[in-house]
Amino acid sequence: MNEGNFEYRAAQKELLEAINQLRDLHGEPPYNELPEPPFCSFCGRSKKEMGALVEGINAHICVDCAGEARRLLLRD
Ligand SMILES: [Zn+2]
């Protein structure tokens, strides 16, 4: 993908805003720029921060979000 492309930059900005909204929900400080991928698709924290991420089809999940998902799934 061409990084000078306007649509690419707009998509990057949109992704950064979405990740910062997730980070805000989790009480994490916002990123100034996109972290180096991969990052958790649920909370936006990067592999560098979390140490490890589980990879799915077009998504990743960190240990905290996997634990939260497990609690939600087992609740009922
Ligand atoms: Zn996460």
Side-chain angles (χ1 to χ4, degrees):
M1 204 178 295
N2 177 5
E3 294 195 21
N5 179 289
F6 175 76
E7 283 179 27
Y8 177 82
R9 277 181 285 135
Q12 294 276 92
K13 189 170 178 273
E14 211 167 287
L15 181 57
L16 178 61
E17 283 168 8
I19 285 175
N20 279 336
Q21 284 176 11
L22 289 170
R23 290 181 64 79
D24 190 48
L25 283 176
H26 288 83
E28 310 268 351
Y31 287 132
N32 293 320
E33 55 188 55
L34 280 178
E36 203 169 299
F39 36 80
C40 177
S41 305
F42 295 83
C43 70
R45 287 181 290 182
S46 67
K47 184 175 183 178
K48 203 181 260 182
E49 273 176 280
M50 297 310 292
L53 296 173
V54 176
E55 186 176 354
I57 301 169
N58 291 326
H60 292 81
I61 191 166
C62 74
V63 65
D64 290 352
C65 291
E68 178 114 357
R70 184 175 188 277
R71 275 192 299 278
L72 289 170
L73 289 169
L74 296 178
R75 196 175 52 186
D76 296 326

